[in-house]
Amino acid sequence: MASLLKNIFRQKYSTAHLFAVLPVLGGLCPSSSKNDKEALHNNNKTPPKDRFSERNANGRFGHSKKKDFAARNEGKNKWAAKRKLNFSADTENIPAKRQTRNSAFNTNFGTRIIDLDVFQNNIEKCINCNSGPLSLTKCKKEQHLGLASIFMIQCPKCGNINHVKTSSEHRTGKRGPKSFDINSRIVLGCLHAGIGQTHINNLLATTNIPGLTNNTFKHREREVGLAVEKVAKKSCKQVINDEKIIALSNGIQSDENKLLPVACSFDMGWQKRGKGHNSNTGQAAVMSMTSGKVMDYTTRVKTCRYCDYAKAKNIAVKSHDCRKNHSASSKAMEPDSAVEMFNNAL
């Protein structure tokens, strides 16, 4: 290989230029002198390390040793503080990352939803010395419970701490603390609007109102759901009675079983799309062709988290509102639901 390269370059280049060109080819041609060998060796050396001082041993660019971590943490803490309601550019106390149920807030910042009648009655006078009215400027702490709040206001005369609530309460169980009406109403509004916890919290955050936690929203959703189901069942029975009256007024006669034929439409939907027919839940409804109102509805559920957990752990199932009512295929939900609803109309 070396002799071949010599013959090629000898025709156009002199011996002096030979070793100036051959090192570019990787030093394949041996040199005839000691100085030329040293020059060839120097030309084939790897680049000095200081040219790539930012690379690590693997050849990747590493982080610089001189990083201003204090400035980065300061900016991070400021950004976390801006997300809280009690942020102040002059304060050095950064609030907690997550606001819990018993957290204390500075009432000088943020927006609250207040029931005027309840708030006026609670702030009218002190429960200890009957002097009043109480002032929010004497508020020592605020307890945040969903959209409701409890202000701890000190009486300027006797120094007693009064717990002033911003919403009325109602009993949801046999024991435990009462629930605030505003939390139940906001969850009912979410069900009516077809939105969830994330959507309502985005709206509340835009208006600078403390949002709802996951536990609060889920508890109120279960409470409101039972009431909505009772009203829906009552409404369906009323629609069926109205359809019977309309059918009789139109001259339709009942058969030997005293049943009136009523024109209706039936359909079912599943939460999971696709041709696999493997959805765990489904809902069906029967609607009147005359008025377009819902005459009856039902749901099919194949799984229950409480039951599945107890079965996996081989323990007894605790008392809960189990909605599992289907064990066959998801495709079989439709005929099963149709039979149930038409039997209910008999």
Side-chain angles (χ1 to χ4, degrees):
M1 183 67 180
S3 59
L4 178 61
L5 292 174
K6 282 184 179 181
N7 295 331
I8 294 174
F9 283 91
R10 192 173 295 169
Q11 298 177 2
K12 294 185 179 181
Y13 302 99
S14 61
T15 307
H17 296 91
L18 180 61
F19 291 100
V21 178
L22 290 182
V24 181
L25 302 177
L28 297 177
C29 181
S31 177
S32 59
S33 63
K34 183 177 180 180
N35 295 333
D36 293 337
K37 289 182 178 181
E38 292 179 357
L40 180 62
H41 178 71
N42 294 332
N43 290 334
N44 289 335
K45 280 185 177 180
T46 57
K49 294 184 178 180
D50 55 354
R51 292 179 58 188
F52 301 95
S53 57
E54 296 183 358
R55 291 182 181 268
N56 54 21
N58 297 329
R60 299 181 179 179
F61 284 99
H63 295 286
S64 177
K65 296 182 180 180
K66 297 181 180 180
K67 286 287 186 179
D68 191 0
F69 292 101
R72 186 180 66 176
N73 293 334
E74 182 181 359
K76 182 179 179 181
N77 293 336
K78 286 184 178 180
W79 173 252
K82 287 181 180 180
R83 299 170 56 191
K84 307 303 176 182
L85 296 177
N86 56 346
F87 169 75
S88 177
D90 300 331
T91 183
E92 296 181 356
N93 298 324
I94 304 300
K97 184 177 180 181
R98 181 179 179 183
Q99 297 175 352
T100 58
R101 180 182 177 93
N102 296 325
S103 299
F105 297 93
N106 190 346
T107 56
N108 295 328
F109 299 92
T111 308
R112 303 293 185 271
I113 300 178
I114 296 177
D115 191 335
L116 293 179
D117 294 335
V118 176
F119 188 74
Q120 183 178 0
N121 294 333
N122 293 335
I123 207 173
E124 185 177 3
K125 60 182 179 180
C126 176
I127 60 175
N128 185 33
C129 62
N130 293 330
S131 63
L134 303 175
S135 176
L136 279 177
T137 57
K138 300 296 182 180
C139 182
K140 300 300 181 181
K141 189 172 64 173
E142 177 190 4
Q143 186 178 3
H144 175 58
L145 302 100
L147 295 184
S149 297
I150 300 178
F151 297 103
M152 284 68 168
I153 302 178
Q154 186 178 17
C155 177
K157 186 175 181 180
C158 65
N160 182 57
I161 300 298
N162 296 267
H163 292 70
V164 179
K165 300 178 181 179
T166 60
S167 175
S168 57
E169 298 173 297
H170 62 276
R171 176 68 64 182
T172 58
K174 296 181 180 180
R175 59 182 182 272
K178 294 182 179 180
S179 302
F180 287 94
D181 294 349
I182 183 61
N183 294 332
S184 300
R185 290 175 180 176
I186 197 67
V187 173
L188 179 61
C190 291
L191 294 178
H192 180 68
I195 60 177
Q197 178 195 1
T198 303
H199 303 85
I200 191 62
N201 280 341
N202 291 339
L203 176 62
L204 295 174
T206 306
T207 56
N208 205 10
I209 300 176
L212 294 168
T213 61
N214 185 37
N215 290 336
T216 302
F217 189 89
K218 183 58 66 175
H219 280 84
R220 301 285 71 78
E221 188 179 39
R222 291 171 180 170
E223 172 199 355
V224 172
L226 296 176
V228 171
E229 287 182 354
K230 292 180 180 179
V231 175
K233 290 295 184 182
K234 183 179 180 180
S235 176
C236 290
K237 292 181 179 179
Q238 183 64 35
V239 171
I240 293 177
N241 294 331
D242 295 342
E243 290 296 327
K244 291 180 180 179
I245 296 175
I246 294 175
L248 293 175
S249 62
N250 293 335
I252 300 177
Q253 301 295 329
S254 59
D255 56 8
E256 61 276 5
N257 296 324
K258 297 182 180 181
L259 298 177
L260 289 172
V262 177
C264 60
S265 175
F266 165 80
D267 195 12
M268 186 166 188
W270 292 264
Q271 268 65 41
K272 188 175 181 180
R273 298 179 61 184
K275 299 180 181 180
H277 301 288
N278 54 358
S279 178
N280 291 327
T281 57
Q283 66 283 337
V286 175
M287 291 157 285
S288 171
M289 299 293 291
T290 305
S291 61
K293 297 180 180 180
V294 178
M295 301 174 62
D296 198 3
Y297 73 94
T298 186
T299 58
R300 288 293 178 269
V301 182
K302 297 174 62 176
T303 60
C304 176
R305 184 167 58 90
Y306 291 96
C307 297
D308 295 342
Y309 178 81
K311 184 178 180 180
K313 297 295 183 179
N314 196 17
I315 58 177
V317 184
K318 67 177 183 179
S319 178
H320 65 283
D321 184 16
C322 185
R323 297 305 178 97
K324 184 177 180 180
N325 56 3
H326 190 78
S327 58
S329 64
S330 300
K331 192 174 182 179
M333 291 181 180
E334 188 169 10
D336 187 39
S337 300
V339 172
E340 176 189 347
M341 288 187 291
F342 282 99
N343 287 333
N344 293 337
L346 297 179

